[in-house]
């Protein structure tokens, strides 16, 4: 059974998707150059052991945590192997409000992924060094750590699903915000 159930972009982008397995749950991430995985801080913060399942069926243990940024909800992990392909980072500018983006989540009851389309509803400046996209659409509740992809297939952000008093909110950390965390996609 394929890891990816539907992918609207070039197939080579799908090879960079990662399902993270923990002792009692699952999470999402994506490959960066040199065997690095980008995901959300809250996805991995309490986990002691992480196995990364790649789209081609291979699995690797996560060797170490390279970087954590609780404020931006980002984490960078290193694998026990060098793997490709990695996703490309979009130009360091914000996506315009109303733009389409794509993200993924797990198919309930299956070890496969599904893609969803969303819109950037608003750009929220939360401080001098923190900006977030407010996303609109049927984004998966388990989508934290998914890359947000432009229709071209470039990473424009990282999806984080946050619990608020009013329910779940889907936000995107812009790709330019990943640079202080040490993620340098080529």
């Amino acid at each position: 059974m394929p890891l990816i159930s539907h992918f609207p972009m070039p197939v080579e982008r799908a090879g960079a998707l990662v399902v993270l397995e923990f002792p009692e749950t699952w999470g999402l991430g994506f490959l960066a150059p040199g065997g690095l995985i980008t995901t959300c801080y809250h996805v991995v913060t309490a986990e002691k052991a992480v196995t990364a399942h790649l789209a081609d069926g291979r699995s690797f243990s996560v060797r170490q945590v390279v970087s954590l940024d609780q404020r931006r909800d980002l984490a960078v992990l290193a694998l026990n192997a060098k793997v490709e392909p990695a996703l490309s980072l979009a130009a360091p500018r914000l996506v315009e409000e109303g733009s389409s983006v794509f993200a993924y989540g797990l198919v309930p009851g299956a070890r496969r992924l599904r893609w969803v389309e969303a819109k950037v509803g608003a750009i929220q400046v939360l401080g001098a060094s923190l900006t977030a996209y407010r996303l609109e659409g049927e984004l998966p509740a388990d989508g934290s750590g998914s890359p947000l992809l432009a229709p071209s297939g470039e990473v424009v952000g990282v999806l984080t699903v946050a619990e608020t008093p009013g329910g779940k909110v889907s936000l995107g950390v812009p790709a330019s915000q990943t640079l202080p965390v040490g993620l340098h996609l080529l």
Side-chain angles (χ1 to χ4, degrees):
M1 180 175 296
L3 179 68
I4 309 301
S5 62
H6 173 68
F7 192 72
M9 296 193 229
V11 173
E12 63 270 10
R13 302 289 198 274
L17 305 177
V18 178
V19 173
L20 301 171
E21 180 182 3
F22 311 112
E24 297 184 25
T25 189
W26 300 86
L28 302 175
F30 60 96
L31 291 174
L36 297 177
I37 296 173
T38 300
T39 188
C40 287
Y41 173 87
H42 79 267
V43 169
V44 298
T45 190
E47 302 299 336
K48 302 283 187 239
V50 181
T51 301
H53 297 276
L54 307 183
D56 65 7
R58 294 181 295 157
S59 298
F60 297 97
S61 294
V62 170
R63 182 180 75 226
Q64 71 180 22
V65 175
V66 176
S67 181
L68 294 172
D69 186 333
Q70 185 175 9
R71 184 167 180 232
R72 290 182 180 91
D73 194 24
L74 294 171
V76 178
L77 312 172
L79 293 178
N80 285 327
K82 300 277 188 219
V83 293
E84 294 295 331
L87 290 175
S88 299
L89 190 67
R93 61 177 174 74
L94 294 175
V95 174
E96 293 182 22
E97 289 181 10
S99 295
S100 289
V101 292
F102 295 89
Y104 68 96
L106 294 166
V107 173
R111 288 177 37 180
R112 323 184 268 133
L113 302 174
R114 63 186 169 90
W115 284 93
V116 295
E117 184 174 1
K119 298 271 185 214
V120 175
I123 298 172
Q124 299 175 319
V125 178
L126 305 170
S129 63
L130 184 59
T131 300
Y133 299 129
R134 175 93 181 207
L135 301 171
E136 298 173 348
E138 297 297 320
L139 287 151
D142 62 3
S144 288
S146 168
L148 288 177
L149 299 172
S152 66
E154 294 178 308
V155 177
V156 295
V158 179
L159 175 62
T160 184
V161 180
E163 189 69 44
T164 68
K168 293 193 184 290
V169 176
S170 298
L171 301 172
V173 178
S176 61
Q177 298 284 307
T178 66
L179 298 176
V181 182
L183 175 60
H184 301 282
L185 298 174
L186 301 176

